Amino acid sequence: MPCQSSDELKKLVKEARTVTKHGQVADYIPALGKVNAHDLSIAINYPDGRCISAGDIERKISLQSISKVISLALVLMDRNKEYVFERVGMEPTGDPFNSVAKLESMTPSKPLNPMINAGALAVTHMIKGNSVDERFQRLLTFIRELAGNDTIQYNKEIARSEFETAHLNRALCYFLKQHRIIDEDVEQLIDLYTKQCAIEMNCLDLSRIGVVFALDGGDPQTGKQIMPANIARICKTFMVTCGMYNASGEFAIKIGIPAKSGVSGGIMGAVPGKFGIGIFGPALDDKGNSIAGIKLLELLSKNYQLSMF
Amino acid sequence: MPCQSSDELKKLVKEARTVTKHGQVADYIPALGKVNAHDLSIAINYPDGRCISAGDIERKISLQSISKVISLALVLMDRNKEYVFERVGMEPTGDPFNSVAKLESMTPSKPLNPMINAGALAVTHMIKGNSVDERFQRLLTFIRELAGNDTIQYNKEIARSEFETAHLNRALCYFLKQHRIIDEDVEQLIDLYTKQCAIEMNCLDLSRIGVVFALDGGDPQTGKQIMPANIARICKTFMVTCGMYNASGEFAIKIGIPAKSGVSGGIMGAVPGKFGIGIFGPALDDKGNSIAGIKLLELLSKNYQLSMF
Amino acid sequence: MPCQSSDELKKLVKEARTVTKHGQVADYIPALGKVNAHDLSIAINYPDGRCISAGDIERKISLQSISKVISLALVLMDRNKEYVFERVGMEPTGDPFNSVAKLESMTPSKPLNPMINAGALAVTHMIKGNSVDERFQRLLTFIRELAGNDTIQYNKEIARSEFETAHLNRALCYFLKQHRIIDEDVEQLIDLYTKQCAIEMNCLDLSRIGVVFALDGGDPQTGKQIMPANIARICKTFMVTCGMYNASGEFAIKIGIPAKSGVSGGIMGAVPGKFGIGIFGPALDDKGNSIAGIKLLELLSKNYQLSMF
Amino acid sequence: MPCQSSDELKKLVKEARTVTKHGQVADYIPALGKVNAHDLSIAINYPDGRCISAGDIERKISLQSISKVISLALVLMDRNKEYVFERVGMEPTGDPFNSVAKLESMTPSKPLNPMINAGALAVTHMIKGNSVDERFQRLLTFIRELAGNDTIQYNKEIARSEFETAHLNRALCYFLKQHRIIDEDVEQLIDLYTKQCAIEMNCLDLSRIGVVFALDGGDPQTGKQIMPANIARICKTFMVTCGMYNASGEFAIKIGIPAKSGVSGGIMGAVPGKFGIGIFGPALDDKGNSIAGIKLLELLSKNYQLSMF
C-alpha cells in the first residue's frame, strides 16, 4: 500500500518550511552538504498500515545520530540491562553531544547517556558478533526488520568520509578505553560506528521504525514483537530525556513526543500507541536539530494534541 | 471522606522499607534531622475523591525542593511563558542541583532549568507581589487550593534555620544578580525562598496536589481549573526530565512517573489521568532522593504498569 | 628629592603608547571610566633614593588588584604561613580571576591562589583587627609605610561604587563561607575589600612600594625591614606565577619581572635587588592588564636585560 | 673527572629519605615499578666541571616528563617562537597534567602550556625531520650533547609498554588533530613521544643538562652555545611556572629553583648561573613529583639560599 499524499500535511510542511532560512546544512563532510537546504518532507505511519505524507519522501538520508537509539535497542537485546547500564548512564546532560569534559569529571568515568557520542560509541561497542562485518550485518538486519524494508543499505561514501574525519570520536574512544569502558581496537569500532551512522533510508522507512517504537516493539503488519516492550519503552524514555541533543528539555515541553534527530536533518518520532513519524529537513538549528522538522512537529503536536505530558 | 488504609499498600511499604538502612537523613539543619530514618508512608489520591494509604500519613514534612514545581506553576500563571523562559532554561543537566559551574560556562548565563537551585531562585524571584509577605501569601494560598487544605502553614523553625545557613543559595543569587537574571535584594529573596521551602504538609496533602497535576490542573472535587492545563503539563514535563535531581533519567526509565522530590524525604507524584501520590521517607540516597520512596514507586510502577513510556 | 624626568623613559613611553588604541578602559563603574585611554606614565625608584620618570606621574589611581599582593604581605605578617595557606592555595590557574568553577571542583574547596578574587577575599578576611575600621587602618598604615607617603587615602566614590556592584565578589564570599574558608559577615568583608581596592596613589608611590619588594622588604631610606625577607619573596613569587591574571605565564616568558596589575591600569613591578616600577596606563588588553604598560615593560626588559630567568 | 661523593649531601639525602614512606612508586607500566621506593640519589654539576653527589647516581632512569622541557628547547630552535606559541600556550593551569577539559573550554583550543601532556604532544609533533627515526635521532643527539654523554639511549621495554597503554595520550592527540593543532598520524606521534619519554640516563647526566640550562645554554666544558640563551630562559621560565605539575606554585614559593620532574621519580634542576641538579627518588607524592626529591631540594634551597625570588 503506497503512502498517500496529504493536503493537510502539505499545508503544515509549507508553513514549517519558512524557517529553513534560519538554519544551516551540516557540511563537515562533503556528502552531507549535497542537499537542498529548503527541503522538508514527512511521512506518518499508522499501526493499521495506513500512511500519509508530504514532500519528496523517497529521498534517502543517512541515519547519523538517529541510529543511536536503534543500536541501543539491539544491545539491550544482546546483553542484560545491568551489563549495559554499568557501561553507560541514564542521565541527560546539559553539555554538547561531543563533550569529553563530563567524562573526566564524573566518577565512575562512564558516559552520561547513550545519546551523546561517548555513550553511543560504548553502545556500538557492545553489539555482539565475531567481526565488524558480522556486527554490522546484525544491526542492518535489525534495522531492515524495524523498517520492513530489506533493501536498506549504508552509504559507502558517507561512511568513508566520516571515518576519515572522526578525530573527536576517536578521542572519545581512547578516553573510554583508558577508563575500561571499551576494550576493542579503536579503528575497528570507528569503522563499525561510522557504517552504522551512514545507514540510509527514506522518510517512509523512518516513520515505519517510529511506529514499531510507538507500538512498544510490535510489528504493525504481523504483530510479531520485534523487540521486547520494556526495551522499546527504555528507548522512548531516552528519546524524551535526551533525543534532541541540548534542546531535549525544550522539545519535551513544547512538543512532548519521543523523538531522535540526526545531523543529516532526519527526525524519527514515535507517538505512543498512535503512529510513527519520519521527517527529513536538512537545515539545522544551532543545537544540530532539523529546524523545520522541529517546527513541523510543533505544529503537529499543537493541532492534534500529541504531547505525552 | 477519610483516607482508607490499604493492605496492599502496606505490603509494598513493608518491602520498600527494607532499603532505608542504606540511606541517610539530611541533617544540615537540626530541624530536618529530628525524624525516624525508617519511616515510610504513602497516600494515593484518585480523581473521584477516593484515597488509600499506608503508614503514618498525618506526619507533616516541609516541601523543600517539591515546592519548586509549584512556584513554577504560579509564576507561569503570573507571567507569560516567554518572560519566564528568558530567565530560566528548559534543559536537564548532569550537574548537581546546587552547582554554579554551568552558570559560569553557559551563554547567556541563565540557570539551565527551574528544578536546580539557581533556577528555582530565579522562579521565586518572579512571583508577583508588593512585598515578601504578599508574595508568600499568594504562594501559600495557591498551595492550599492545590492541596484542598486551608490550614497549611510554613514551619518557622525550619525557615529560620535554612535562612541562616543558606550561604550557597546566596552565592547563586549574587551570581544571578551579576548576570541580571534577578534584581531584588538577595536577603529578601532568600527570606521568601526559605519560607517557600519550609511550607509543611502531610502525605495526604501531597497526594492531593499530585492529583491536580494528574488532572492537568483541574480540582478533583469541583472540576475548577486551578491552573491552565498547559501549565500543568509543562510542570509534569520538568518533573520527568529533572524532577529527581541527578537521578531523573534513571527514574524516568525505571519508573516513568512525573515526580518531584525534596531533601526532607518527600515525593509528590502525578500519574497522568489516574491519580496523585504523596510519599514521606526521610532516609535519602546519595542523589538526595528518598531511598525507600523510590523503591516504593518502583514497586507500584511495575505492579500497576504506571510508566508513561 | 623629586623624581627626575628621563628622556630615555620618555622615548620608550612614546613607543609603548602606540598600542593604547587596541585597548579599552574599564568602565564597569563610572569612576574608573573617567580617564584618558591614551595616558601612560612610569616612575622607577632605585634603592639609593634616585627616581626617574616619564609622563604625568602625579595622577592618582586606585590600586584595585595591585592591593592583593600587599594585603597578602600583611596577612603573612599577621598569621603564620601554615594558617594562611590552609585557607588559600599557591597554584596558578588558567581560569579567569573571578571564576567560581574551580572552587567547586577542587577538594578541599579553597581558592587556588591569593591573586584570584576568591583568594584575595580570603586573604583580606584574615587581616587582624577588631573592626573593619581597625583592619582597614592597619592595612592603610602598612601601605603608607611601604610607599613612604603618609597622605595616602582611599577614594570614597570608587569604594562606594564597587561596593554597590560587587555581586560576583559577594557570590564568591558566600561560596567561601559555605566551605568555611571565611566566617565573617559578607557585607562587612566586601566593605573592607572594596576600600582596600580603592586605595589611591600615584606612580611614584607605586614604584616606591616596588623597590621595597625588590629589596626583600627593606626600606630604601632607613634600611628598616618593613616586612620579613621571606614574606617579600613569597609575594614576588606570586607576582611571577599569577600576578598578571591569565597572562602571567606569557608575561614571565616575555618580560620576567615580578609584577602585579590592577584593572585601573596600574602595574607595580619589583626587579629583584635593582629597582621598583610604577606604571599607569588605563587602556586594558583582553586579559585586564594595561596594554601599554605591558608593552613598556617589554621594552624595558629587553633593553636592560631585566628578566629574572 | 669523576663525581665526588659528598658527606654534606649524604646527610641531606639521609634526612630527605625519611619521607619516602609517604610516597608511592608509579606502576602503571611494569617497567617503572621495578625500583626500590626508598632510593634517593643526587648529583650537582658546577660550571667549572666539578661534581658532587650522594647515593647511587649510576642508576638509569627514563626521562618521562623531564623530556618535555628538552623537546621544547629543540622545537624552539627548529621553528620560530611565533610558530610554536601559536600551537601551544604559555599559561600555567590548575588542572591535572593529562586533563582534556581545558582543551575543550578554551578558545582557541590550544594546549595551555608545553608541560601538560597535550602541550608536550603538540611540541613533539613540531620536531623537524622526515621520519619518526630521523626526528627521534635529532632529539637524542641534542640530549646527548646537553648531557655530554654519547651513550645515552632509550629503554625499548619502557617505550613499548608506554606505547601500548597510551590511551589517554591518544585521546589528547585526536583532540589536537580535531582542532588542527597537529596533522600527523597519531600512532606515529605516539611512537615518537613514547620513545622520547623512555630516553634513559643517570643523575649525573641529568645534572649536566641542568648546568647547561643554568648557564643559559652554554656548554660548561667548551663554552659552546648548545642552545640560544633566550631559549634556555624560556625553558627555565616554564620550569618555574609549570615544571612540577600541579605543585609548581608551591614549589616556586618553597624552593624557588627552575626544575622539571618526571613520573619515574627524576628531577632536573637548574640554579641560574650556579649549577645543575639531577635527582632520582622514585616514590611519588600525590601530585606525581618525587616526594623525597622535593624534600631534598627544600633542604638544599634553605641551607644554601638558592631561591630565585
Side-chain angles (χ1 to χ4, degrees):
Chain A
M1 183 167 56
C3 200
Q4 284 202 296
S5 175
S6 150
D7 286 345
E8 208 165 333
L9 282 182
K10 273 186 196 165
K11 239 174 51 188
L12 297 177
V13 162
K14 195 178 166 195
E15 185 177 348
R17 193 183 273 135
T18 59
V19 303
T20 54
K21 61 178 173 290
H22 305 300
Q24 248 180 319
V25 170
D27 57 1
Y28 63 94
I29 59 166
L32 284 179
K34 292 179 201 156
V35 289
N36 179 350
H38 301 295
D39 269 353
L40 182 62
S41 50
I42 181 170
I44 290 181
N45 221 308
Y46 293 91
D48 61 7
R50 272 183 310 127
C51 174
I52 58 174
S53 70
D56 179 3
I57 57 165
E58 301 283 351
R59 183 159 298 157
K60 281 184 184 167
I61 54 168
S62 55
L63 286 179
Q64 303 299 339
S65 288
I66 301 174
S67 72
K68 291 170 179 175
V69 73
I70 304 174
S71 57
L72 174 64
L74 181 61
V75 161
L76 285 168
M77 291 162 74
D78 273 5
R79 321 264 180 177
N80 64 60
K81 273 188 292 182
E82 286 66 33
Y83 182 95
V84 173
F85 292 120
E86 264 167 32
R87 285 155 182 81
V88 60
M90 305 184 195
E91 297 308 316
T93 164
D95 289 318
F97 69 96
N98 54 11
S99 175
V100 71
K102 265 290 172 17
L103 279 178
E104 197 166 275
S105 64
M106 300 297 283
T107 309
S109 287
K110 68 179 182 184
L112 269 170
N113 67 62
M115 299 296 121
I116 55 172
N117 283 15
L121 287 160
V123 164
T124 297
H125 168 67
M126 290 186 267
I127 297 176
K128 279 192 175 168
N130 292 314
S131 65
V132 165
D133 260 16
E134 188 182 330
R135 289 151 82 195
F136 180 67
Q137 285 306 326
R138 291 191 61 244
L139 178 64
L140 190 60
T141 301
F142 181 54
I143 285 180
R144 287 173 171 179
E145 192 175 5
L146 289 169
N149 176 350
D150 274 354
T151 69
I152 288 171
Q153 258 305 350
Y154 77 100
N155 182 312
K156 289 196 173 60
E157 184 196 345
I158 290 178
R160 207 195 51 241
S161 283
E162 304 242 34
F163 183 84
E164 282 163 8
T165 58
H167 304 318
L168 207 48
N169 281 339
R170 282 180 176 90
L172 293 171
C173 282
Y174 278 111
F175 206 90
L176 294 173
K177 200 162 182 175
Q178 173 73 14
H179 291 281
R180 297 170 196 277
I181 307 289
I182 70 170
D183 55 11
E184 78 176 297
D185 177 78
V186 169
E187 292 306 302
Q188 180 176 305
L189 177 55
I190 293 290
D191 182 20
L192 177 54
Y193 184 72
T194 49
K195 280 176 180 153
Q196 165 189 319
C197 289
I199 290 173
E200 260 186 348
M201 58 180 66
N202 62 29
C203 279
L204 271 180
D205 300 320
L206 263 185
S207 67
R208 160 67 200 244
I209 295 180
V211 81
V212 175
F213 279 107
L215 294 174
D216 277 352
D219 184 311
Q221 263 92 38
T222 66
K224 177 195 165 193
Q225 202 70 22
I226 304 179
M227 75 184 91
N230 75 316
I231 289 179
R233 282 180 194 151
I234 288 175
C235 291
K236 278 183 284 187
T237 312
F238 278 119
M239 287 160 82
V240 166
T241 57
C242 29
M244 304 299 282
Y245 303 117
N246 270 13
S248 301
E250 186 173 351
F251 188 88
I253 282 167
K254 291 197 176 157
I255 296 166
I257 297 173
K260 184 72 204 83
S261 65
V263 77
S264 51
I267 301 177
M268 185 267 284
V271 185
K274 295 194 178 149
F275 51 78
I277 303 172
I279 288 179
F280 174 56
L284 306 179
D285 62 23
D286 58 355
K287 302 288 176 68
N289 294 311
S290 169
I291 193 167
I294 286 196
K295 182 70 186 168
L296 182 53
L297 285 168
E298 207 178 328
L299 295 171
L300 272 174
S301 179
K302 279 209 182 118
N303 289 4
Y304 303 102
Q305 306 269 349
L306 300 179
S307 173
M308 297 179 60
F309 295 98
Chain B
M1 184 168 55
C3 199
Q4 283 203 298
S5 174
S6 151
D7 286 345
E8 208 165 332
L9 281 182
K10 273 186 196 166
K11 239 176 52 188
L12 297 177
V13 162
K14 193 177 166 195
E15 186 178 347
R17 193 182 273 135
T18 59
V19 303
T20 54
K21 60 178 174 289
H22 304 301
Q24 249 179 319
V25 170
D27 56 1
Y28 63 94
I29 59 167
L32 283 179
K34 290 179 202 156
V35 289
N36 180 348
H38 301 295
D39 270 354
L40 183 62
S41 51
I42 181 170
I44 290 181
N45 222 310
Y46 293 90
D48 60 9
R50 271 183 311 127
C51 175
I52 58 174
S53 70
D56 178 3
I57 57 165
E58 301 283 351
R59 182 158 298 155
K60 281 184 184 167
I61 54 168
S62 55
L63 285 179
Q64 303 299 338
S65 288
I66 301 174
S67 71
K68 290 170 179 174
V69 72
I70 304 174
S71 57
L72 175 64
L74 181 61
V75 161
L76 285 169
M77 291 162 72
D78 272 6
R79 321 264 180 177
N80 64 59
K81 272 188 295 182
E82 286 66 33
Y83 182 95
V84 173
F85 293 120
E86 264 167 32
R87 284 153 181 83
V88 58
M90 306 184 194
E91 296 308 316
T93 163
D95 289 317
F97 68 96
N98 54 10
S99 175
V100 70
K102 266 290 171 18
L103 280 178
E104 196 166 276
S105 64
M106 299 299 282
T107 309
S109 286
K110 70 179 182 186
L112 270 169
N113 67 63
M115 299 297 121
I116 55 173
N117 283 15
L121 287 160
V123 164
T124 296
H125 169 67
M126 290 186 268
I127 296 176
K128 280 193 175 166
N130 291 315
S131 65
V132 165
D133 260 16
E134 187 182 330
R135 288 151 82 196
F136 180 67
Q137 286 305 326
R138 290 190 62 243
L139 178 65
L140 191 59
T141 302
F142 181 54
I143 285 180
R144 287 172 171 178
E145 191 175 7
L146 289 169
N149 177 351
D150 274 354
T151 69
I152 287 172
Q153 259 303 351
Y154 78 100
N155 183 313
K156 289 196 172 60
E157 185 196 345
I158 290 178
R160 207 194 51 239
S161 282
E162 303 241 33
F163 183 83
E164 281 163 9
T165 58
H167 304 317
L168 208 48
N169 281 339
R170 282 180 175 90
L172 294 171
C173 282
Y174 279 111
F175 206 91
L176 294 173
K177 201 162 182 175
Q178 172 74 13
H179 291 281
R180 299 170 195 275
I181 307 289
I182 70 171
D183 56 11
E184 79 176 295
D185 177 78
V186 169
E187 292 306 303
Q188 179 177 306
L189 177 55
I190 293 289
D191 182 20
L192 177 53
Y193 184 73
T194 50
K195 280 175 182 153
Q196 166 189 318
C197 288
I199 290 173
E200 259 186 349
M201 60 181 64
N202 63 29
C203 280
L204 271 181
D205 301 320
L206 263 185
S207 67
R208 161 67 201 243
I209 296 180
V211 81
V212 175
F213 279 108
L215 294 174
D216 277 352
D219 183 312
Q221 263 92 39
T222 66
K224 176 193 164 192
Q225 202 71 21
I226 304 179
M227 75 184 92
N230 76 315
I231 288 180
R233 281 180 194 150
I234 288 174
C235 291
K236 277 183 285 186
T237 312
F238 279 119
M239 288 160 81
V240 166
T241 57
C242 29
M244 305 299 282
Y245 303 116
N246 270 13
S248 301
E250 186 173 351
F251 188 88
I253 282 167
K254 291 196 176 157
I255 295 165
I257 296 173
K260 183 73 204 82
S261 64
V263 77
S264 50
I267 301 177
M268 184 266 283
V271 184
K274 295 195 177 148
F275 52 78
I277 303 172
I279 288 179
F280 175 56
L284 306 179
D285 62 23
D286 58 354
K287 302 288 175 68
N289 294 310
S290 169
I291 192 166
I294 286 196
K295 182 71 186 168
L296 183 53
L297 286 169
E298 206 177 329
L299 295 171
L300 272 173
S301 178
K302 280 210 180 115
N303 289 2
Y304 303 102
Q305 306 270 349
L306 301 179
S307 172
M308 298 178 60
F309 296 98
Chain C
M1 182 168 57
C3 199
Q4 284 203 299
S5 175
S6 151
D7 287 345
E8 207 165 333
L9 282 183
K10 273 187 197 166
K11 238 175 53 188
L12 296 177
V13 162
K14 194 179 166 193
E15 184 176 348
R17 193 181 274 136
T18 59
V19 303
T20 54
K21 61 177 173 288
H22 304 301
Q24 249 179 319
V25 170
D27 56 2
Y28 64 94
I29 59 168
L32 284 179
K34 292 180 200 157
V35 289
N36 179 348
H38 301 295
D39 270 354
L40 182 63
S41 50
I42 181 169
I44 289 182
N45 222 310
Y46 292 90
D48 60 9
R50 271 184 312 125
C51 175
I52 57 174
S53 69
D56 178 4
I57 59 165
E58 300 283 353
R59 181 158 301 156
K60 280 184 185 166
I61 54 168
S62 54
L63 286 180
Q64 303 299 338
S65 289
I66 301 174
S67 71
K68 290 170 179 175
V69 73
I70 304 175
S71 57
L72 174 65
L74 180 61
V75 161
L76 285 168
M77 290 162 74
D78 273 6
R79 320 266 179 177
N80 64 59
K81 273 188 294 183
E82 286 67 32
Y83 182 93
V84 172
F85 293 121
E86 265 168 32
R87 285 153 181 83
V88 59
M90 306 185 194
E91 297 308 317
T93 164
D95 289 317
F97 69 96
N98 54 11
S99 174
V100 72
K102 263 294 171 16
L103 279 177
E104 196 166 275
S105 63
M106 299 298 282
T107 309
S109 287
K110 70 178 182 184
L112 270 170
N113 66 62
M115 299 297 122
I116 56 173
N117 283 15
L121 287 160
V123 164
T124 296
H125 168 68
M126 289 186 268
I127 296 176
K128 279 193 176 167
N130 291 314
S131 64
V132 165
D133 260 16
E134 187 181 331
R135 289 151 81 196
F136 180 68
Q137 285 306 325
R138 290 191 61 243
L139 178 64
L140 191 60
T141 302
F142 181 54
I143 285 180
R144 287 171 171 180
E145 192 174 8
L146 290 169
N149 177 350
D150 274 355
T151 69
I152 287 172
Q153 259 303 353
Y154 77 100
N155 183 314
K156 289 197 173 59
E157 183 196 345
I158 289 179
R160 208 195 50 241
S161 283
E162 303 241 34
F163 184 83
E164 281 163 8
T165 57
H167 303 317
L168 207 48
N169 281 340
R170 282 179 175 91
L172 293 171
C173 281
Y174 279 110
F175 206 90
L176 294 173
K177 200 162 184 177
Q178 171 74 14
H179 291 281
R180 299 171 194 276
I181 306 289
I182 70 169
D183 56 13
E184 78 176 297
D185 177 77
V186 169
E187 292 306 302
Q188 179 176 305
L189 177 53
I190 294 289
D191 182 20
L192 178 53
Y193 184 73
T194 49
K195 280 175 180 153
Q196 166 187 319
C197 289
I199 290 173
E200 261 185 348
M201 60 180 63
N202 62 29
C203 280
L204 271 181
D205 301 319
L206 263 185
S207 68
R208 161 66 200 243
I209 296 180
V211 80
V212 176
F213 279 108
L215 294 173
D216 278 352
D219 185 311
Q221 262 92 39
T222 67
K224 177 194 165 194
Q225 202 71 22
I226 303 180
M227 74 185 92
N230 75 316
I231 288 180
R233 282 181 192 148
I234 289 175
C235 292
K236 278 183 283 186
T237 312
F238 279 119
M239 288 161 81
V240 166
T241 57
C242 29
M244 304 300 281
Y245 304 116
N246 271 14
S248 302
E250 187 173 351
F251 188 88
I253 283 168
K254 291 196 176 155
I255 296 165
I257 297 173
K260 183 73 204 83
S261 65
V263 76
S264 50
I267 301 177
M268 184 267 284
V271 184
K274 295 194 177 148
F275 51 77
I277 304 171
I279 288 179
F280 174 56
L284 307 179
D285 62 23
D286 58 355
K287 302 290 175 70
N289 294 311
S290 169
I291 193 165
I294 287 196
K295 182 71 187 167
L296 182 53
L297 286 169
E298 207 178 328
L299 296 170
L300 272 174
S301 178
K302 279 207 183 120
N303 290 2
Y304 303 102
Q305 304 269 348
L306 301 179
S307 173
M308 298 178 60
F309 296 97
Chain D
M1 182 169 56
C3 200
Q4 281 203 301
S5 175
S6 151
D7 286 344
E8 209 165 332
L9 281 183
K10 272 187 197 165
K11 240 176 52 189
L12 297 177
V13 162
K14 194 179 165 193
E15 185 178 347
R17 192 182 275 134
T18 59
V19 304
T20 54
K21 60 176 173 290
H22 305 300
Q24 250 180 317
V25 170
D27 57 1
Y28 65 93
I29 59 167
L32 284 179
K34 291 178 200 158
V35 289
N36 180 349
H38 301 294
D39 270 353
L40 182 62
S41 50
I42 180 169
I44 290 181
N45 221 309
Y46 293 91
D48 60 8
R50 271 183 313 125
C51 174
I52 59 173
S53 70
D56 178 2
I57 58 164
E58 301 283 353
R59 183 158 299 156
K60 282 184 184 166
I61 53 167
S62 55
L63 286 179
Q64 303 299 337
S65 289
I66 301 174
S67 71
K68 291 171 179 174
V69 72
I70 305 173
S71 56
L72 174 64
L74 181 60
V75 161
L76 285 168
M77 292 162 74
D78 273 5
R79 320 266 179 176
N80 64 59
K81 273 189 293 182
E82 286 66 34
Y83 182 95
V84 172
F85 293 120
E86 265 168 32
R87 285 154 182 83
V88 58
M90 306 185 193
E91 296 308 316
T93 164
D95 289 316
F97 68 96
N98 54 12
S99 176
V100 71
K102 266 290 172 18
L103 280 178
E104 197 166 274
S105 63
M106 300 297 283
T107 309
S109 287
K110 70 179 182 185
L112 269 170
N113 66 63
M115 299 296 121
I116 56 173
N117 283 15
L121 287 160
V123 164
T124 297
H125 168 68
M126 289 186 268
I127 296 176
K128 279 193 175 167
N130 291 314
S131 64
V132 165
D133 260 16
E134 188 182 331
R135 290 151 80 196
F136 180 69
Q137 286 306 325
R138 291 190 60 246
L139 177 65
L140 191 60
T141 302
F142 181 54
I143 286 180
R144 286 172 172 179
E145 192 175 6
L146 289 169
N149 178 349
D150 275 355
T151 70
I152 287 172
Q153 258 303 352
Y154 78 99
N155 183 313
K156 290 197 173 59
E157 184 196 345
I158 290 178
R160 209 195 49 241
S161 282
E162 303 242 35
F163 183 84
E164 281 163 9
T165 58
H167 303 317
L168 207 48
N169 281 339
R170 283 180 175 91
L172 293 171
C173 282
Y174 279 111
F175 205 90
L176 294 173
K177 201 162 182 176
Q178 172 73 13
H179 291 280
R180 300 172 193 275
I181 307 289
I182 69 170
D183 56 11
E184 78 176 297
D185 177 77
V186 169
E187 292 306 302
Q188 180 177 305
L189 177 54
I190 293 290
D191 181 20
L192 177 54
Y193 184 73
T194 49
K195 280 175 180 154
Q196 165 188 319
C197 290
I199 290 173
E200 261 185 347
M201 58 180 65
N202 62 30
C203 280
L204 271 181
D205 301 318
L206 263 184
S207 67
R208 161 67 201 245
I209 295 180
V211 81
V212 175
F213 280 107
L215 294 173
D216 278 351
D219 184 312
Q221 263 92 39
T222 66
K224 176 196 165 193
Q225 202 71 22
I226 304 180
M227 73 184 94
N230 75 317
I231 289 180
R233 282 180 192 149
I234 289 175
C235 292
K236 278 183 283 186
T237 312
F238 279 119
M239 289 160 81
V240 167
T241 57
C242 30
M244 304 300 281
Y245 304 116
N246 270 13
S248 301
E250 185 173 352
F251 188 89
I253 283 167
K254 292 197 175 155
I255 296 165
I257 297 173
K260 182 74 203 84
S261 65
V263 77
S264 51
I267 301 177
M268 184 267 284
V271 184
K274 295 193 176 148
F275 51 78
I277 304 171
I279 287 179
F280 174 56
L284 306 179
D285 61 23
D286 58 355
K287 302 289 176 69
N289 294 312
S290 170
I291 192 165
I294 286 195
K295 182 72 186 166
L296 183 53
L297 285 169
E298 206 178 328
L299 296 170
L300 272 174
S301 178
K302 280 207 181 120
N303 290 2
Y304 302 103
Q305 305 269 349
L306 301 179
S307 173
M308 297 178 60
F309 295 97

